[in-house]
Amino acid sequence: MNRIIVGFMGTGKTSVSKVLGRMTGLPCYDVDNWIEKKAGKSIPAIFAEEGEAGFRKRESEALKALLAQDGCILSGGGGIVLREENVAMMKERGIVFCLTASPETIYRRVGKDENRPNLDGYRSPKGIRELMERREEAYQRATDVRIDTDGKSVEEVAAEILRVSGKAGNHE
């Protein structure tokens, strides 16, 4: 069983996935990192050169390649739930956990990060709330379990995922 971590940018997907990988001994993959390695360029460069559509195509290809295996931890990018084909793949190949946080928390975590191209023009708690509301329906369709990360450590969130999904360090 794969554990797939999704959620809006800044909710802790990558950090939680890494800790979960250490806790379970399962391989851990970050879709955005995989895309950057495969493309030989950064996510902002991909957006600049290929637009969001080009990036989303690469994201679907990465997801398909990574979910070909079983028994891994996968951290998806913030918009991975925007394509129905991605949602179908994730639901078929694992349990989908959606990490959440308040717009204020997200702003504190990533609001000033210039490597977040989708935040351009939305770099405030109000702007982040607007973006989150636009994606809420997509997150709801994709999600099996929601976990609020506000006021919790990365370890607490990872432990909550393990409690819900059962410890699969045995590579079921």
Side-chain angles (χ1 to χ4, degrees):
M1 168 196 39
N2 296 310
R3 290 177 184 84
I4 304 157
I5 316 294
V6 301
F8 196 79
M9 67 184 89
T11 55
K13 298 177 300 290
T14 300
S15 300
V16 168
S17 295
K18 287 177 184 174
V19 169
L20 199 52
R22 284 195 300 272
M23 291 169 90
T24 61
L26 296 172
C28 180
Y29 303 100
D30 182 284
V31 171
D32 286 350
N33 288 345
W34 194 90
I35 292 168
E36 287 181 333
K37 285 180 186 159
K38 192 94 168 157
K41 51 189 161 185
S42 70
I43 300 293
I46 294 169
F47 266 80
E49 294 169 22
E50 302 173 24
E52 186 169 359
F55 173 77
R56 296 294 170 211
K57 181 176 184 288
R58 287 178 180 271
E59 188 175 55
S60 294
E61 291 166 358
L63 186 62
K64 185 175 184 178
L66 292 168
L67 288 178
Q69 61 189 308
D70 197 29
C72 72
I73 311 294
L74 183 71
S75 172
I80 201 163
V81 298
L82 298 177
R83 280 186 147 184
E84 277 304 315
E85 67 185 275
N86 294 350
V87 172
M89 272 190 280
M90 291 187 296
K91 295 282 241 180
E92 180 183 316
R93 300 287 301 150
I95 298 176
V96 182
F97 294 89
C98 182
L99 304 186
T100 64
S102 71
E104 294 76 18
T105 297
I106 291 170
Y107 179 73
R108 275 194 313 277
R109 291 176 182 171
V110 300
K112 302 208 186 327
D113 183 347
E114 294 300 320
N115 288 320
R116 305 285 180 157
N118 280 340
L119 273 185
D120 292 345
Y122 297 94
R123 292 187 189 280
S124 69
K126 182 181 177 193
I128 289 169
R129 181 178 309 281
E130 186 180 321
L131 285 175
M132 290 172 78
E133 287 171 357
R134 272 195 231 149
R135 289 187 176 177
E136 180 57 30
E137 188 178 318
Y139 284 124
Q140 283 188 5
R141 275 195 321 272
T143 300
D144 295 314
V145 180
R146 287 176 84 92
I147 298 177
D148 181 9
T149 65
D150 278 323
K152 295 178 186 168
S153 70
V154 173
E155 291 77 12
E156 287 171 322
V157 175
E160 195 168 334
I161 290 171
L162 280 179
R163 274 194 304 278
V164 172
S165 63
K167 190 170 181 179
N170 59 3
H171 303 266
E172 356 174 280

